Amino acid sequence: MRLTFLGTGTSTGVPSIGCDCETCTSNDSRDNRLRVSILIEHGGQTVIVDTSSDFRQQALRHRIKWLDAVFVTHCHADHIFGLDDIRPLNFRYGPIGLYANATAWKDIRRIFKYVFEPSHFGGGLPQIIPHNVEPGAPFCIGNELQVTPLEVIHGRLPVICYRFNDFAYATDLSEIPPATIDALQGLDVLVLDCLRIKPHQTHLTIDTALAYIEKLKPRRAFLTHMAHDIKHARDSALLPQGVEFAYDNLVISDE
Ligand SMILES: [Zn+2]
Ligand SMILES: [Zn+2]
């Protein structure tokens, strides 16, 4: 399996517009973070998690030519606003399966009403095959990619994290319920939310992310969804062995 970080930044992206802080003015490319998303390639299947606000740029940068599925964690703007930009893939190859939980579907249908209830003539629309996901109900994409949706809590909002075989992607969360803790054992790679250093109501921070990593004991862990409070080189010293800050364009492979 091959995982590519398409974006590792919080909702504003890093640099943050108008900010002159040490991270936002850094020359280290690892401090430049598009909005969060990952690309997974395995067994001939290519999938992404979330269509971030930066999806177009990410797809061009990584020469994405086709997607077998798009998995939605939740319907906050930074995770879904790139949905309209799947159209060039649709024009060329047809509709794409979009997987989300019932809460996210309610918001997707409201925000992208023009997709589901077209009101004008002309103009291309995203072509989507809707799929519902249920926490703890696994399914397969192709023959070799098993996907298990699991529930995590983002403040008060239930968000879906996805386990792909022995890789898992859990962003935008402040709490991991016991059933999900059990389902995230034995991982090779865990990608986990980590907004910043100071406490936050709806996100994990370095301390709380490390506490969950201690419980889940993945072989390797990568932190994502970072704000400008975290400067890659400076703050990497805060992390134990086996845990790293992810950065845009980083590729992790088990092959
Ligand atoms: Zn987010
Ligand atoms: Zn800044």
Side-chain angles (χ1 to χ4, degrees):
M1 188 166 334
R2 198 177 129 97
L3 182 164
T4 304
F5 287 92
L6 300 179
T8 57
T10 190
S11 59
T12 56
V14 179
S16 178
I17 293 174
C19 185
D20 296 322
C21 81
E22 206 186 320
T23 310
C24 289
T25 56
S26 163
N27 292 324
D28 184 343
S29 62
R30 297 171 301 181
D31 291 322
N32 269 300
R33 306 176 183 125
L34 297 179
R35 268 57 73 86
V36 286
S37 180
I38 55 161
L39 175 76
I40 300 263
E41 294 160 285
H42 184 69
Q45 304 294 304
T46 304
V47 306
I48 58 169
V49 182
D50 293 328
T51 51
S52 88
S53 328
D54 295 314
F55 172 71
R56 179 177 177 276
Q57 196 180 338
Q58 293 162 341
L60 290 172
R61 186 186 272 183
H62 294 278
R63 301 178 190 282
I64 291 175
K65 292 219 159 55
W66 170 243
L67 293 172
D68 293 288
V70 175
F71 299 99
V72 176
T73 57
H74 65 305
C75 198
H76 283 167
D78 49 327
H79 296 258
I80 198 77
F81 273 18
L83 185 62
D84 197 74
D85 287 322
I86 66 167
R87 289 178 303 140
L89 302 175
N90 298 143
F91 298 157
R92 231 169 273 128
Y93 303 109
I96 295 175
L98 187 69
Y99 294 76
N101 69 358
T103 310
W105 269 120
K106 222 173 122 201
D107 288 337
I108 293 168
R109 288 180 188 282
R110 179 175 52 78
I111 293 166
F112 294 93
K113 194 171 175 206
Y114 70 95
V115 175
F116 301 95
E117 298 170 38
S119 58
H120 63 280
F121 180 74
L125 294 171
Q127 296 162 29
I128 288 159
I129 305 165
H131 296 276
N132 248 310
V133 300
E134 295 282 347
F139 53 93
C140 275
I141 298 289
N143 295 325
E144 294 170 35
L145 185 63
Q146 175 164 303
V147 184
T148 309
L150 298 162
E151 193 165 273
V152 292
I153 308 298
H154 186 23
R156 280 181 306 206
L157 179 74
V159 161
I160 299 295
C161 83
Y162 290 93
R163 179 170 181 152
F164 301 96
N165 298 355
D166 290 340
F167 283 32
Y169 183 72
T171 188
D172 293 66
L173 66 105
S174 44
E175 192 190 325
I176 307 180
T180 301
I181 295 273
D182 291 346
L184 291 178
Q185 300 295 321
L187 288 171
D188 181 21
V189 173
L190 170 67
V191 181
L192 189 60
D193 186 72
C194 177
L195 182 72
R196 63 185 191 189
I197 299 166
K198 284 179 297 180
H200 190 270
Q201 278 192 331
T202 64
H203 282 278
L204 296 181
T205 54
I206 291 184
D207 286 348
T208 52
L210 290 180
Y212 275 125
I213 290 167
E214 185 76 15
K215 262 191 191 168
L216 299 173
K217 298 186 173 50
R219 196 167 74 81
R220 295 176 284 174
F222 296 87
L223 304 176
T224 194
H225 208 294
M226 290 159 298
H228 59 167
D229 310 51
I230 291 175
K231 188 161 188 276
H232 191 101
R234 182 193 67 200
D235 295 323
S236 287
L238 301 169
L239 303 180
Q241 214 189 350
V243 184
E244 294 169 45
F245 295 119
Y247 51 90
D248 290 21
N249 312 321
L250 172 65
V251 177
I252 306 296
S253 175
D254 65 357
E255 281 146 16

